[in-house]
């Protein structure tokens, strides 16, 4: 009996021991699993030099675990084998055998990561975006840009599926020719009926068998193709300083702080310590160059805080020992510092049917409204107005440069067309003051599509016509400087505006040259116009140049010559045109009013000038 009792006690003890050991192993395993899934483990053990972890901590996803994106939010049974395959990264970290900079190569598709939290069918509301930019001048002059971002999404059956997230609702495939997917020469769209449309970059000169040979690289577009830096954002010096000033982390009253900040952040350093030391020397620069300003203790305090913030920006965005910086990791949200949207929407991806992937600003956002300092915020339309049929052409943005005429004034203020002083719709600095180096509007095949008439004239040896009015504030260098949209020949550099128009007449109703007393700009001497027109250009009456006969023959029907003593009639209906000065300001390029009419109201104008029908 005693043997059986001892056996039972032995079994119980053994069972208890197994349970205890099992419990400890289970608890230890769970703890180890949770710890190795934590951002702290990923950021401080795997990524010992912490560029990714540092950027992650200040990202919009700073409260999302790394494994939720890198492994996917799936069941434990699916995650274990996937995680086992990633043990090689720990080996690389221990043996120091990894490339720098580090790029992710095995990220799960967005449907297993992003779309676990962000439900695509609910992306439908537009959002207002205010962008604050600061000039590199002494006052760090502020400019605000307002956009309505057309987030889009939802489904077509709900009448949605448009806007930015159209790319998620629809099936889009592409082939990239570089590891970072910045060069995309081929795009394929499959519509809901299964019809396939292929687009080829006309400047890439692809061989006929390109798609067949690269079929293994065909990738379906998802969230991460645009949101490449959504969790590891390395901002450029220019953008980082703008954001710091807007958030009042850097005092805008410090003279030239934007320019000096960009200078020190863009410089190359071998380590964080060297960068911190050099940035600290900004204080000496202000002591030497702004001695009176620096004497104020309050200004010294502002400067020290700004220097500390600049040091912090560098430490968060550049890691010399890991070869990581804002230039090494493209941010494809947008299209200024990196190709972004213009990888496909660059105007040079053409289908065999001669349509292009639309390059149209207002597909994804409203036309930017630029507000200078001291001006009120603009009124933005929540709904896009009906566009003319011409605007729906997939090549419209390329064509509109060559089809500009006075009919545009029915919807737009076209004063100083092509300028960038924000004096009108057509003088928008958000469009015209930037060199869009990733856009292919000047590709020969695109020019052939967008300006066939001009191409034909040039082939016949006839100088091309100017496809827009020329006014007192027109800056030809905007489009015709070297490396611009249509650069002038080198032997034209010394020509003035009158010389140019003797051979290249304007197709507009009238060609308006600078006002009397103003210097005539030449390609070699013209500079960017100031934000506000000069007193001369605002008050003096522009003097029309002599336009060759062939220019008037193809122009729009001019206003009939008035009978002596009878004011000319208005050749268009007044409905929808409540402000005559949109087209008839003193310095307008369309049909300016005489200088002695300045200040007259619409009511006074229409008392003398009646509609012709």
């Amino acid at each position: 009996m005693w043997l059986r009792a001892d056996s039972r006690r032995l079994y119980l003890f053994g069972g208890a021991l197994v349970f205890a050991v099992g419990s400890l192993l289970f608890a230890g395993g769970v703890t180890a699993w949770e710890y190795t899934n934590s951002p702290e483990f990923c950021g401080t053990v795997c990524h010992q030099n912490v560029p990714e972890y540092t950027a992650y901590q200040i990202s919009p996803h700073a409260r999302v675990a790394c494994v939720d994106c890198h492994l996917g939010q799936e069941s434990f049974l699916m995650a274990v084998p996937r995680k086992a395959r990633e043990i090689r990264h720990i080996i690389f970290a221990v043996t120091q055998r990894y490339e720098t900079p580090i790029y992710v190569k095995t990220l799960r598709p967005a449907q297993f990561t992003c779309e676990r939290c962000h439900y695509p069918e609910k992306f439908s509301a537009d959002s207002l975006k205010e962008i604050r930019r600061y000039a590199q001048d002494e006052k760090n002059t502020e400019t605000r840009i307002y956009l309505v971002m057309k987030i889009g999404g939802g489904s077509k059956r709900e009448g949605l599926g448009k806007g930015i997230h159209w790319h998620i609702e629809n099936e889009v495939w592409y082939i990239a020719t570089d590891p970072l997917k910045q060069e995309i020469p081929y795009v394929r769209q499959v519509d809901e009926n299964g019809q396939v449309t292929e687009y080829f970059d006309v400047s890439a000169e692809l061989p006929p068998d390109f798609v067949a040979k690269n079929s293994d690289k065909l990738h379906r577009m998802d969230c991460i193709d645009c949101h490449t830096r959504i969790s590891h954002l390395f901002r450029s010096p220019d953008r980082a300083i703008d954001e710091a000033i807007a958030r009042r982390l850097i005092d805008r009253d410090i003279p030239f702080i934007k320019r000096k900040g960009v200078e020190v952040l863009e410089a190359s350093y071998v380590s964080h310590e060297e960068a911190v030391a050099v940035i600290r020397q900004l204080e000496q620069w202000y002591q030497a160059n702004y001695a009176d300003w620096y004497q104020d203790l309050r200004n010294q305090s502002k400067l020290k805080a700004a220097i500390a913030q600049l040091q912090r920006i560098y430490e968060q965005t550049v890691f010399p020992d890991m070869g990581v910086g804002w230039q090494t990791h493209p941010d494809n949200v947008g299209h200024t510092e990196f190709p972004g949207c213009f990888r496909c929407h660059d105007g040079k991806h053409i289908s065999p049917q001669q349509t292009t992937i639309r390059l149209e600003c207002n597909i994804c956002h409203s036309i930017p409204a630029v507000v200078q300092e001291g001006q009120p915020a603009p009124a933005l339309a929540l709904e896009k107005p009906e566009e003319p049929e011409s605007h729906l052409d997939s090549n419209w943005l390329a064509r509109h440069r060559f089809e500009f005429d006075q009919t545009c004034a029915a919807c737009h203020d076209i004063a100083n067309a092509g300028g960038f002083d924000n004096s009108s719709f057509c003088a928008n600095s958000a469009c015209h003051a930037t060199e869009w180096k990733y856009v292919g509007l000047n590709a020969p095949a695109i020019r052939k599509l967008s300006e066939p008439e001009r191409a034909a004239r040039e082939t016949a040896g006839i100088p091309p016509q100017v496809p827009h009015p020329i006014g007192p504030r027109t800056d030809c260098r905007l489009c015709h400087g070297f490396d611009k949209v249509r650069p002038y020949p080198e032997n034209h550099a010394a020509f003035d505006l009158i010389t140019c128009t003797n051979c290249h007449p304007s197709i507009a109703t009238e060609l308006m040259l600078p006002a009397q007393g103003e210097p005539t700009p030449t390609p070699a001497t013209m500079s960017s116009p100031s934000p506000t027109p000069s007193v001369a250009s605002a008050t003096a009456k522009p003097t029309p140049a002599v336009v060759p006969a062939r220019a008037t023959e193809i122009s729009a029907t001019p206003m009939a010559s008035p009978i002596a003593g009878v004011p000319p009639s208005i050749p268009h209906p007044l409905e929808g045109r409540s402000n005559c000065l949109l087209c008839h300001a003193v310095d307008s390029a369309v049909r300016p009013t005489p200088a002695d009419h300045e200040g007259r109201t619409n009511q006074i104008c229409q008392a003398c000038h009646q509609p012709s029908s």
Side-chain angles (χ1 to χ4, degrees):
M1 294 293 296
W2 64 270
L3 288 175
R4 280 184 288 202
D6 287 344
S7 297
R8 285 195 295 270
R9 285 194 293 270
L10 184 61
Y11 291 145
L12 289 173
F13 175 78
L17 182 62
V18 170
F19 178 78
V21 172
S23 297
L24 288 174
L25 290 175
F26 178 77
V30 170
T31 302
W33 176 265
E34 291 296 327
Y35 175 65
T36 56
N37 281 349
S38 68
E40 291 74 22
F41 174 82
C42 298
T44 61
V45 177
C46 287
H47 300 288
Q48 296 172 351
N49 291 298
V50 298
E52 292 81 8
Y53 188 48
T54 300
Y56 159 79
Q57 289 178 306
I58 58 174
S59 78
H61 287 152
R63 296 295 180 267
V64 178
C66 304
V67 294
D68 285 352
C69 291
H70 289 272
L71 291 183
Q73 300 182 35
E74 296 182 327
S75 69
F76 176 80
L77 294 178
M78 293 294 293
V80 169
R82 187 169 294 116
K83 188 170 183 178
R85 291 195 296 269
E86 304 302 323
I87 292 177
R88 68 185 190 279
H89 293 303
I90 298 178
I91 298 173
F92 294 154
V94 172
T95 60
Q96 301 288 295
R97 291 192 304 109
Y98 50 83
E99 84 267 359
T100 57
I102 294 174
Y103 296 107
V104 65
K105 297 182 177 65
T106 57
L107 196 65
R108 298 281 289 152
Q111 67 185 94
F112 302 112
T113 55
C114 310
E115 294 179 18
R116 297 293 186 179
C117 296
H118 303 284
Y119 187 37
E121 291 190 1
K122 295 303 179 184
F123 296 152
S124 56
D126 293 343
S127 65
L128 173 66
K129 186 175 183 65
E130 179 192 49
I131 304 172
R132 292 177 181 261
R133 296 284 181 253
Y134 298 91
Q136 295 188 29
D137 56 16
E138 186 176 38
K139 295 183 178 180
N140 308 297
T141 303
E142 181 184 73
T143 298
R144 289 169 290 149
I145 301 173
Y146 291 88
L147 299 167
V148 173
M149 302 302 300
K150 302 174 182 179
I151 304 300
S155 64
K156 290 183 179 179
R157 65 177 178 273
E158 299 174 296
L160 301 172
K162 302 177 181 179
I164 297 169
H165 288 119
W166 174 93
H167 303 85
I168 304 302
E169 166 74 3
N170 293 271
E171 189 175 339
V172 180
W173 300 77
Y174 69 86
I175 295 175
T177 55
D178 68 305
L180 297 182
K181 299 179 180 178
Q182 298 301 289
E183 300 289 337
I184 300 179
Y186 172 79
V187 179
R188 175 190 298 174
Q189 178 193 348
V190 183
D191 66 18
E192 62 270 22
N193 299 317
Q195 182 176 349
V196 176
T197 305
E198 298 180 299
Y199 298 91
F200 300 85
D201 183 346
V202 294
S203 65
E205 299 181 353
L206 302 177
D209 58 350
F210 173 81
V211 178
K213 284 188 174 181
N214 292 276
S215 59
D216 58 321
K217 297 180 181 178
L218 197 62
H219 170 79
R220 180 165 181 177
M221 186 175 182
D222 66 15
C223 309
I224 305 303
D225 289 308
C226 291
H227 296 282
T228 46
R229 309 304 320 150
I230 194 61
S231 294
H232 303 287
L233 181 58
F234 304 104
R235 290 184 176 85
S236 69
D238 187 76
R239 295 293 181 261
I241 295 175
D242 281 344
E243 182 177 309
I245 296 176
R247 296 171 59 192
R248 300 182 182 179
L249 299 174
I250 293 178
D251 197 302
R252 188 182 149 209
D253 293 335
I254 303 173
F256 285 114
I257 190 59
K258 172 68 181 292
R259 178 185 297 179
K260 301 305 295 183
V262 169
E263 286 178 4
V264 295
L265 291 181
E266 286 187 342
S268 298
Y269 308 101
V270 298
S271 66
H272 277 170
E273 291 73 22
E274 181 186 9
V276 167
V278 172
I279 295 172
R280 190 182 299 119
Q281 293 174 8
L282 274 179
E283 188 167 5
Q284 299 174 11
W285 187 88
Y286 280 93
Q287 282 180 292
N289 293 276
Y290 283 87
D292 293 340
W293 178 88
Y294 185 80
Q295 292 302 316
D296 190 323
L297 295 179
R298 292 171 297 181
N299 292 336
Q300 292 184 30
S301 177
K302 294 177 185 178
L303 181 58
K304 291 180 186 297
I307 290 174
Q309 182 62 29
L310 291 173
Q311 292 170 333
R312 191 175 303 113
I313 290 173
Y314 187 87
E315 291 174 338
Q316 292 175 345
T317 56
V318 183
F319 301 84
D321 51 349
M322 291 292 289
V324 173
W326 69 273
Q327 304 99 322
T328 62
H329 289 73
D331 182 5
N332 288 325
V333 173
H335 42 62
T336 52
E337 296 171 337
F338 298 98
C341 311
F342 290 159
R343 292 174 298 164
C344 302
H345 294 270
D346 59 356
K348 58 180 182 177
H349 282 71
I350 305 181
S351 72
Q353 294 77 31
Q354 298 298 291
T355 60
T356 60
I357 297 177
R358 285 190 72 183
L359 170 58
E360 187 74 30
C361 305
N362 58 17
I363 294 176
C364 295
H365 59 72
S366 62
I367 301 298
V370 182
V371 175
Q372 303 296 339
E373 191 166 354
Q375 296 178 341
L380 299 180
L382 296 180
E383 294 185 8
K384 183 172 66 175
E386 291 296 324
E387 295 181 286
E389 189 66 28
S390 61
H391 290 37
L392 301 178
D393 187 309
S394 61
N395 298 311
W396 172 245
L397 202 62
R399 287 176 42 219
H400 92 285
R401 301 172 296 167
F402 312 112
E403 298 188 11
F404 180 91
D405 58 36
Q406 65 181 12
T407 62
C408 303
C411 300
H412 307 298
D413 179 355
I414 62 174
N416 191 27
F420 45 88
D421 60 2
N422 299 306
S423 60
S424 70
F425 178 89
C426 291
N428 192 325
S429 64
C431 302
H432 299 147
T434 301
E435 181 181 355
W436 301 106
K437 57 184 177 181
Y438 301 113
V439 178
L441 296 181
N442 209 33
I446 299 301
R447 301 194 71 84
K448 185 177 180 180
L449 284 175
S450 59
E451 52 164 351
E453 182 178 344
R454 171 177 290 202
R457 290 173 58 85
E458 291 179 353
T459 302
I462 303 173
Q465 297 163 305
V466 179
H468 56 74
I470 298 177
R473 290 178 288 174
T474 298
D475 182 359
C476 300
R477 286 173 59 90
L478 186 68
C479 295
H480 306 297
F482 294 120
D483 299 324
K484 296 295 184 180
V485 174
R486 176 172 283 274
Y488 50 75
E490 291 186 9
N491 61 355
H492 285 37
F495 290 2
D496 60 23
L497 195 58
I498 294 178
T499 303
C500 296
T501 53
N502 281 336
C503 291
H504 305 279
S506 172
I507 65 173
T509 304
E510 290 183 356
L511 179 67
M512 304 307 300
L513 292 183
Q516 293 286 357
E518 289 188 17
T520 301
T522 67
T525 60
M526 283 185 292
S527 60
S528 300
S530 58
T532 55
S534 65
V535 174
S537 65
T539 58
K541 179 180 179 180
T543 304
V546 177
V547 184
R550 58 182 173 176
T552 57
E553 288 173 3
I554 65 170
S555 65
T557 304
M559 184 182 294
S561 300
I563 301 174
V566 180
S569 60
I570 300 173
H572 59 73
L574 297 178
E575 288 77 9
R577 296 169 175 167
S578 58
N579 186 0
C580 301
L581 296 180
L582 288 179
C583 298
H584 306 298
V586 172
D587 61 352
S588 171
V590 178
R591 182 175 287 277
T593 59
D596 60 359
H597 283 40
E598 185 174 10
R600 298 188 181 183
T601 65
N602 289 337
Q603 184 177 4
I604 294 175
C605 295
Q606 294 171 23
C608 295
H609 304 279
Q610 299 295 321
S612 57
S613 58

